[in-house]
Amino acid sequence: MRTRENFDRNWMFHVGEVGKIVKTVKKAGMIAGLTNALGEERHEPFAIGEAARITQNVARELLGDPNFEIAQIYGSDTPKDKITGWVGVNLPHDWRLEQPYNPERGGAFQGYLPNGVGYYRKVFQIPQEDEGKKIIIEFDGVMRNSSVWVNGCFVGDHLSGYTSFHYDITDLLKYGDEEGDNVILVRTDTTGGDEGWWYEGGGIYRHVWLTKHDYLHVDRWGTFVRTERMDNERAAITVETTVSNEYPQPMKYGIRTSILNPDGELVAVTESDCETPGIDKQTVLQSVQVTNPLLWSLDMPHLYEAITELIHDGQIVDTYRTVFGIRTVEYRQNGLYLNGKYVQVKGTCNHQDFAGVGIALPDSVHEYKIKRLLEMGCNAYRCAHHAPAPELLDACDRLGMLVMNENRISESTEIKLDDLKSMLYRDRNHPSIFMWSLGNEEKISGSYQANRMLKRLQDLTKRIDSTRPVTAANLSQQGMDIEVNGVNYAESIKGSQTIGEWFQSHPEAKVLNTENVSFFSARGVYEDDPEGGRCSSYGSRYTMLGKEVDVGNLGGAGGTSTPERSWRYFLNNRFSGGLFVWTGFDYRGETTPFQWPSVLSHFGILDYCGFAKDSYYFYQSIWKDEPIVHLMPHWNWPDRLGQQVEVRVYTNCSEVELVLNGQSLGKKQAETEAGEITLSWQVAYEPGLLEAIAYRDGVMVAAERKETTMEAYSVHLEANRSELLADGQDVSMVTVSVRDQSGRVVPVAGNLIRFHVAGEGKLLGLGNGDPGCHESDKGDTRSVFNGYALALIQSLDEAGEIRIEASSEGLVPAVLTLQSRKDLTN
Ligand code: GAL
């Protein structure tokens, strides 16, 4: 029977090299050193043959060294003393985040976190009864050039940090007590050249699995369940299953596919008889009908499951589960149709980085990020610019978020074709994925070479999955031949600006704005601060190249475009199916427009903790129907008494009245369809209460207020979830704020907070969203930035209480208690 064990626990980690790197060797299994059990770890000597044992004994006598090992002749040295300097870690793990920010190393694109080498090593046992099964180690993602050794054998290198890979280690393993312990050594190295122009992290940063199954089994990523046709009464589903027979002889077997509905009830079943030659693979197509299908949609993301069983001699020898959705996607001239209904793409592009964890996101952090975007009204996530962690896609499937899954680079070399295949086969059952992107802004795009490569990638993609449209994101469409024209920055000087004209002469073209806006802002910052590395939320005076320009009344040059300008562009060019904003969340690296001391990007609509910046409400206004009104800036300006302060309001309501200390400052009309959803007042500052009151059809429907606060008085903690699963992985996001005596968050507070976590939980990481902050995300102190910080609290394996204390000099401390439980269902 198939099992899939999580292999994340009990690794040892070492930063920097640990000895000579040996990948080739004269005799089998003889790479020694850390690739084998050492000293006390070892129950048994190397598994050497009898002849070698005699040679070893002779050598020991001649050398007078009873510990001499024959592997020293054939492999690397046997460093008995090299298990020092290692620390215990659980995965996922991003070792680069544990280094200090360094202005001399790492560079702005990688967020000033230096590149380097990190080793992971784990000693583990395989029970005797597993002998006779196939055992596969699966890595969901390792950053980056990784090399793997198991029990004295070099197993392989993998060169992309973004694609999943696996190794069959069946024969290399040691089974049962008699054979002894197993050792896996993984070297991760980010020094060989970057794959991206953003912080990429380092280490085994996604899950690792040990899968065990029969020699007759469903191939890895071997199912593809797709909706062929559907109406309200029934859906015709095709199940494509690739079976691998690793026995030397031909095998006769049955494939039974059962379909379970979202409640887990059996709704369809089909069975086929097959025969596959020895050491061979075979792909089988089955058709099933599901009556009264519950479709996967954005409001109701229903998920079905296909259970594939291989039956040999009346015994089930393999069971494989595929989660899928019943739905259709189609991209027409005017955009996306999900289940035959038009859906405007309201997208954000995102990297994987997050506060406190870097690129090593526990599953619940993926879920948190997706929920924050959904709350904004965003309905599509672009995986910029690479395949994501599987758990991010699971969250999108569950929560109803569309995904554009993107290939890292548009090269059709054998190695990059393998990366593309890995993404396509791994991910093609996810109903959330509505489009594949083959790459982003390749500099050679439009050339003969680029077109040849793109064609090969497109043909391969269509062969592996003909159900989804394919795009490639580019600054210009000149000379590109692709199914959906992914256009970046058509609204701005960065893009071609000719897409409208181009479309006139290509009326049959399908267009999607794959990347837009790139607007700089730092949360709660209302004036550019180049020394501190922070941009104004009104729009920065600094260009992409960091040059200060006179922007007059334009309200900011910062970045590539403003949210307003991009939205207006979309409204005037409805031939595109929607747009993706750069970016949903800030990320480390690409610190434009400033270099050091900025270590984070400024593009996020949310900061890297998931705290909303002002523009979050702009997007809520354009993407949500419910009444939204948002007021900026904060109202703590003691140095500006009597001076003019620009007050900006984002709204999707028709009219807004601004009121200061009970005095109306007038009403303004918003023309929401034309994109005029940003209203502005010049207000002579006086402390007190500023209110924006929003009306629809003359009826007040929403209001927001900003109050001048008193000085910082207390620390406050609030968790997004007060109960956690006691699985050593689950995370609660605890918002830390500094408040005044009336409980109002002090919007300019920067107090340093000290954390202490006791009981059945631990402090996983910290962040505050300040692009210019160099405090470690992995320490136990953190300053709040403009009033807020985030603490990620992770459960341990035992259930019980988790007590979080947050204190700061001169402030009333806060204590929060969470519960960690074994029986938490969601
Ligand atoms: C785009 C690019 C993104 C990011 C962005 C910043 O051109 O595709 O990865 O660099 O610019 O504005």
Side-chain angles (χ1 to χ4, degrees):
M1 258 325 186
R2 175 184 291 261
T3 55
R4 191 166 189 249
E5 296 159 22
N6 181 280
F7 208 60
D8 289 351
R9 299 299 184 87
N10 302 321
W11 289 77
M12 297 296 288
F13 172 73
H14 183 282
V15 70
E17 293 291 4
V18 291
K20 207 163 65 177
I21 302 161
V22 182
K23 295 185 185 172
T24 52
V25 73
K26 301 181 213 74
K27 299 285 180 182
M30 280 291 152
I31 301 179
L34 294 163
T35 74
N36 257 300
L38 296 171
E40 285 172 6
E41 296 166 348
R42 187 175 325 148
H43 300 147
E44 277 291 309
F46 286 111
I48 53 175
E50 197 44 37
R53 198 181 304 281
I54 294 168
T55 314
Q56 182 169 275
N57 287 342
V58 171
R60 282 179 179 180
E61 242 168 69
L62 285 176
L63 295 170
D65 176 2
N67 295 321
F68 174 81
E69 270 153 10
I70 196 152
Q72 284 173 248
I73 300 175
Y74 294 107
S76 59
D77 55 341
T78 309
K80 295 184 184 53
D81 54 351
K82 284 203 180 144
I83 313 201
T84 54
W86 293 69
V87 292
V89 293
N90 289 332
L91 310 177
H93 182 239
D94 175 1
W95 58 259
R96 264 173 94 183
L97 189 64
E98 290 165 1
Q99 321 296 308
Y101 292 105
N102 184 336
E104 310 301 326
R105 292 181 57 208
F109 282 117
Q110 293 282 332
Y112 298 100
L113 284 170
N115 279 299
V117 169
Y119 278 84
Y120 295 81
R121 183 171 182 273
K122 172 164 161 141
V123 180
F124 61 103
Q125 292 76 38
I126 298 287
Q128 188 64 54
E129 58 267 25
D130 281 347
E131 184 145 27
K133 293 177 188 162
K134 275 275 163 200
I135 303 191
I136 319 294
I137 187 153
E138 303 171 354
F139 293 90
D140 285 348
V142 182
M143 187 61 69
R144 174 177 315 101
N145 301 357
S146 69
S147 307
V148 175
W149 293 260
V150 172
N151 293 340
C153 300
F154 173 62
V155 181
D157 285 329
H158 188 76
L159 295 188
S160 174
Y162 297 110
T163 48
S164 301
F165 59 99
H166 63 281
Y167 299 113
D168 177 347
I169 53 172
T170 310
D171 305 327
L172 285 46
L173 290 171
K174 299 176 185 177
Y175 294 81
D177 288 347
E178 198 176 319
E179 284 196 60
D181 289 342
N182 293 279
V183 172
I184 180 165
L185 179 73
V186 181
R187 178 176 184 271
T188 66
D189 180 354
T190 68
T191 62
D194 299 334
E195 270 190 282
W197 48 96
W198 54 88
Y199 171 65
E200 297 192 276
I204 310 182
Y205 74 98
R206 294 181 185 163
H207 294 306
V208 180
W209 308 92
L210 207 58
T211 288
K212 302 174 182 173
H213 54 57
D214 197 85
Y215 275 54
L216 179 70
H217 61 97
V218 174
D219 204 15
R220 178 157 166 80
W221 303 324
T223 58
F224 186 21
V225 186
R226 48 187 188 256
T227 310
E228 297 292 346
R229 288 175 310 284
M230 61 179 208
D231 55 31
N232 288 341
E233 277 91 59
R234 65 186 62 80
I237 311 286
T238 298
V239 183
E240 185 180 311
T241 308
T242 301
V243 176
S244 173
N245 173 20
E246 299 200 58
Y247 288 106
Q249 70 276 17
M251 293 288 277
K252 284 189 178 170
Y253 56 94
I255 303 184
R256 181 163 62 213
T257 301
S258 309
I259 307 292
L260 307 186
N261 72 11
D263 290 329
E265 296 156 358
L266 182 68
V267 290
V269 66
T270 179
E271 199 160 339
S272 323
D273 289 329
C274 306
E275 181 168 356
T276 304
I279 321 280
D280 209 344
K281 289 184 185 179
Q282 191 170 346
T283 298
V284 176
L285 291 180
Q286 295 175 309
S287 301
V288 288
Q289 287 228 337
V290 173
T291 47
N292 303 322
L294 296 164
L295 304 188
W296 187 90
S297 68
L298 299 186
D299 298 334
M300 305 271 249
H302 293 298
L303 294 174
Y304 282 73
E305 209 176 348
I307 313 281
T308 312
E309 291 165 310
L310 303 187
I311 304 157
H312 173 66
D313 271 351
Q315 301 281 321
I316 298 170
V317 296
D318 194 20
T319 305
Y320 187 90
R321 293 169 178 273
T322 309
V323 174
F324 70 100
I326 299 179
R327 58 109 182 89
T328 56
V329 287
E330 199 191 336
Y331 204 84
R332 302 186 196 156
Q333 245 85 23
N334 66 338
L336 176 67
Y337 284 74
L338 179 67
N339 301 326
K341 290 193 198 115
Y342 175 77
V343 176
Q344 186 196 108
V345 175
K346 304 166 176 176
T348 58
C349 308
N350 292 284
H351 288 316
Q352 45 191 355
D353 192 12
F354 197 73
V357 291
I359 59 164
L361 275 68
D363 302 354
S364 46
V365 179
H366 287 299
E367 176 154 323
Y368 179 74
K369 287 179 78 174
I370 298 302
K371 284 185 173 161
R372 289 296 285 139
L373 294 173
L374 286 168
E375 284 160 12
M376 180 169 70
C378 167
N379 67 9
Y381 184 104
R382 177 177 173 214
C383 306
H385 302 294
H386 56 78
E391 294 72 24
L392 178 123
L393 297 173
D394 294 342
C396 292
D397 289 348
R398 270 197 317 274
L399 298 168
M401 172 72 90
L402 294 164
V403 175
M404 175 188 284
N405 202 349
E406 190 158 280
N407 181 42
R408 177 61 291 280
I409 193 167
S410 306
E411 272 177 5
S412 63
T413 56
E414 296 292 336
I415 191 168
K416 296 300 174 198
L417 288 170
D418 281 348
D419 281 334
L420 174 63
K421 280 190 221 163
S422 147
M423 172 178 95
L424 297 170
Y425 282 117
R426 190 195 71 174
D427 294 345
R428 63 186 176 167
N429 287 307
H430 287 281
S432 54
I433 299 174
F434 75 101
M435 195 177 283
W436 303 111
S437 164
L438 299 179
N440 177 67
E441 292 184 8
E442 293 297 0
K443 297 295 171 228
I444 59 169
S445 74
S447 68
Y448 292 116
Q449 183 197 32
N451 281 344
R452 273 193 303 272
M453 297 209 280
L454 195 64
K455 177 167 184 335
R456 177 100 180 266
L457 298 176
Q458 189 167 197
D459 290 348
L460 178 72
T461 304
K462 281 292 181 188
R463 188 188 62 68
I464 293 174
D465 176 12
S466 59
T467 71
R468 292 177 174 92
V470 178
T471 190
N474 255 301
L475 289 169
S476 157
Q477 289 313 305
Q478 299 302 319
M480 269 186 45
D481 184 12
I482 188 99
E483 184 182 358
V484 176
N485 293 271
V487 187
N488 286 6
Y489 300 101
E491 76 279 26
S492 78
I493 42 157
K494 189 163 165 183
S496 67
Q497 281 187 306
T498 57
I499 184 70
E501 286 161 37
W502 176 87
F503 185 73
Q504 299 303 317
S505 53
H506 295 76
E508 76 300 341
K510 298 174 181 174
V511 176
L512 178 58
N513 291 113
T514 32
E515 202 176 305
N516 303 82
V517 188
S518 275
F519 176 71
F520 306 142
S521 67
R523 177 180 53 77
V525 172
Y526 297 99
E527 225 170 311
D528 282 328
D529 172 13
E531 283 76 41
R534 305 173 187 116
C535 284
S536 164
S537 298
Y538 289 116
S540 168
R541 299 187 314 274
Y542 289 83
T543 66
M544 286 298 264
L545 299 175
K547 195 167 163 279
E548 188 174 0
V549 290
D550 178 7
V551 291
N553 294 327
L554 290 177
T560 299
S561 173
T562 59
E564 289 87 347
R565 194 199 300 161
S566 298
W567 179 237
R568 214 167 296 134
Y569 167 84
F570 172 73
L571 293 177
N572 294 330
N573 294 277
R574 294 277 185 138
F575 52 81
S576 158
L579 51 76
F580 281 93
V581 179
W582 189 268
T583 45
F585 296 87
D586 279 342
Y587 47 95
R588 265 165 270 249
E590 202 170 25
T591 64
T592 333
F594 307 123
Q595 302 202 352
W596 187 267
S598 267
V599 295
L600 302 180
S601 78
H602 274 87
F603 299 115
I605 303 170
L606 297 130
D607 71 14
Y608 88 140
C609 301
F611 296 134
K613 301 185 191 175
D614 290 296
S615 64
Y616 182 86
Y617 304 95
F618 173 88
Y619 293 102
Q620 277 199 326
S621 301
I622 59 173
W623 284 343
K624 293 191 96 153
D625 293 331
E626 67 200 52
I628 303 292
V629 64
H630 174 71
L631 184 60
M632 65 188 266
H634 61 72
W635 212 237
N636 278 34
W637 302 101
D639 298 344
R640 297 212 196 160
L641 274 179
Q643 292 174 30
Q644 298 291 307
V645 171
E646 184 192 346
V647 172
R648 225 179 252 184
V649 167
Y650 295 133
T651 189
N652 56 9
C653 301
S654 46
E655 202 176 32
V656 175
E657 182 175 18
L658 194 68
V659 180
L660 178 59
N661 293 327
Q663 293 282 312
S664 176
L665 302 180
K667 282 186 178 174
K668 288 194 189 232
Q669 310 285 323
E671 294 169 46
T672 52
E673 242 319 280
E676 301 298 340
I677 52 168
T678 305
L679 305 175
S680 168
W681 282 261
Q682 289 294 332
V683 177
Y685 177 74
E686 62 180 59
L689 172 63
L690 184 68
E691 292 170 283
I693 302 166
Y695 299 86
R696 276 182 180 169
D697 298 327
V699 179
M700 179 191 151
V701 284
E704 213 209 2
R705 39 171 40 206
K706 296 276 154 137
E707 264 182 280
T708 311
T709 70
M710 294 178 280
E711 62 192 24
Y713 174 76
S714 64
V715 185
H716 187 266
L717 297 176
E718 189 175 341
N720 75 325
R721 290 168 54 214
S722 57
E723 293 195 334
L724 289 181
L725 186 63
D727 64 352
Q729 295 194 41
D730 206 5
V731 176
S732 181
M733 305 294 203
V734 177
T735 297
V736 185
S737 54
V738 166
R739 304 201 171 194
D740 72 2
Q741 208 161 353
S742 303
R744 296 171 296 208
V745 176
V746 179
V748 291
N751 309 60
L752 184 70
I753 316 287
R754 176 167 298 280
F755 296 88
H756 179 70
V757 179
E760 300 304 333
K762 68 169 193 193
L763 182 60
L764 180 64
L766 294 164
N768 65 11
D770 178 1
C773 179
H774 304 143
E775 293 163 4
S776 172
D777 281 27
K778 291 295 187 184
D780 59 3
T781 57
R782 189 78 192 206
S783 309
V784 293
F785 173 56
N786 291 331
Y788 291 100
L790 182 74
L792 289 83
I793 305 295
Q794 190 166 45
S795 65
L796 301 177
D797 289 322
E798 296 303 320
E801 218 171 72
I802 306 171
R803 190 183 143 86
I804 307 148
E805 280 174 39
S807 55
S808 182
E809 214 184 308
L811 302 185
V812 178
V815 174
L816 180 72
T817 306
L818 310 178
Q819 292 296 329
S820 172
R821 300 162 55 127
K822 279 286 174 198
D823 57 353
L824 200 69
T825 43
N826 55 40

